[in-house]
Amino acid sequence: MKNSIFIIFKKELARFFGDKRMAFTTLLLPGLMIYIMYSIMGNAISNQFSVDEDTRPVAYVVNLPESVEPILSEAFHLMPTEESSAEEIKEQIRNKETDLLAVFPADFDAAVASYDSASGLQAPNIELFYNTSQTSSQTAYSYMIEMLSNYESVLANRFDVNSGDAVYDLASEKDTTGTIFSSMLPMLLMVFLFTGCMAVAPESIAGEKERGTIATMLVTPMKRSHLAIGKISALALIALLSGISSALGTILSLPKLMGAATDQLNANFYQVNDYLMLGVVILSTVLLLITLISIISAFAKTIKEAQTYIMPLMIVVMVIAVTAMFSGGAKTDLVYYLIPMYNSVQCMIGIFSFEVLPMQIVAAVVSNIVYTGLGVFVLTRMFNNERIVYSK
């Protein structure tokens, strides 16, 4: 038994790694492309929504008050202007030729000093004109709003909120890392693992049916179950390597993709036991995915047909994977860890958020292995069915 399974295992690996182009496109190219793509996206987003720290936005100001000028001049190039020029400046803002126009009421300081909020009258109103489609204009508007809000609080300050030196955000760096990783990585890992499985299983099962080579193997004195186990074992190893490549590309590019938020991310919080648990969960998930895709591929007559049949399964897996982004944490009831695919996502959420329990991992892995065993049994019965094996 072991010998025939090992022969099939070696044959599948030799077929895959013997084709250098297939090995490169399946194992190395996904991780490389993900790293390049996410890095470019991160840099592009950072460049689009940030400005040079040394840049001082230009602000045209009508009726510039003496009390406000020293405050605004710290962050802006102030350009005092007449009210008659306001429309011309607005047109320049529309054309992205300048950043901001601030129109203060005449006698602003006197109006503020005499204003009584209990009177029910409208408070002195400052009009800010900007262009949200221009980064520098949007930034100038944000600066101006913040500075004017701070100035307003100084004028009528009755109490302070969080004005001391204490740390008021009680979420630790570890909590922040767990929250971000647990919402993103389970979804990405499931996508990468499924993609890796889909890249190799149809070629091995439906491809050999299409070429007629699987019929040749089935006439040899070999148990059909050995053929199924050998193929699933080899394909799972290849798919696992492909998933690891994609995951590494994602993790390495995550700092550039997340930008400033990565100041709060630190993967060093994860210990060896976390990676071991994640590895066991991923391995059991790959075994189940390969088994399911192999069963679907066995029904197909060609590789193209197999890929079409696999699409509904891909949609289901993607929907389950997306739930990680809105889960609010891992489930605690053990029954959720018996549901195929969903249990893997929940385990990943728990591992990345530091909330997983060993019993949950055991339940998920054992159930995945059981489902894989049932899948191997089904695939064996399919190999015994001549109508399926010799379908053209």
Side-chain angles (χ1 to χ4, degrees), residues 116-298:
D116 182 6
S117 58
S119 65
L121 299 175
Q122 183 178 357
N125 182 48
I126 305 170
E127 296 180 310
L128 302 178
F129 300 93
Y130 65 105
N131 189 335
T132 191
S133 65
Q134 184 182 12
T135 302
S136 60
S137 182
Q138 175 68 42
T139 303
Y141 172 75
S142 300
Y143 286 170
M144 183 70 77
I145 284 289
E146 181 180 1
M147 299 183 80
L148 291 177
S149 298
N150 292 337
Y151 178 66
E152 180 187 19
S153 67
V154 170
L155 291 178
N157 191 20
R158 298 292 186 231
F159 62 89
D160 295 325
V161 177
N162 287 357
S163 63
D165 296 329
V167 177
Y168 299 101
D169 185 358
L170 301 181
S172 66
E173 188 179 355
K174 181 177 180 180
D175 294 332
T176 303
T177 298
T179 299
I180 295 177
F181 277 25
S182 64
S183 65
M184 292 182 58
L185 291 185
M187 179 192 68
L188 295 174
L189 283 173
M190 290 297 291
V191 171
F192 298 150
L193 294 177
F194 187 90
T195 303
C197 294
M198 189 174 176
V200 295
E203 168 66 27
S204 177
I205 305 295
E208 292 205 2
K209 282 183 62 179
E210 187 176 358
R211 294 186 295 270
T213 54
I214 197 169
T216 304
M217 286 190 292
L218 291 175
V219 298
T220 61
M222 175 196 308
K223 290 185 178 180
R224 307 296 168 89
S225 60
H226 296 183
L227 176 63
I229 295 173
K231 277 188 170 292
I232 287 174
S233 300
L235 294 176
L237 176 60
I238 297 169
L240 183 62
L241 293 175
S242 176
I244 290 173
S245 170
S246 300
L248 286 175
T250 302
I251 293 171
L252 292 175
S253 62
L254 197 60
K256 294 183 180 180
L257 183 64
M258 296 295 295
T262 52
D263 292 340
Q264 298 177 324
L265 299 184
N266 187 355
N268 293 330
F269 288 118
Y270 297 102
Q271 305 298 318
V272 174
N273 61 315
D274 296 317
Y275 290 109
L276 289 176
M277 288 189 294
L278 181 63
V280 172
V281 170
I282 288 176
L283 179 58
S284 67
T285 304
V286 169
L287 285 171
L288 180 56
L289 282 172
I290 279 292
T291 303
L292 293 175
I293 295 176
S294 296
I295 291 172
I296 295 173
S297 299

Side-chain angles (χ1 to χ4, degrees), residues 1-29:
M1 171 180 175
K2 291 182 179 179
N3 186 46
S4 56
I5 292 176
F6 184 66
I7 290 173
I8 297 298
F9 182 82
K10 277 202 313 181
K11 172 186 171 296
E12 288 296 322
L13 294 184
R15 179 186 64 82
F16 178 80
F17 288 103
D19 188 339
K20 294 182 180 179
R21 286 181 296 179
M22 179 184 292
F24 175 75
T25 55
T26 304
L27 300 184
L28 298 179
L29 190 59

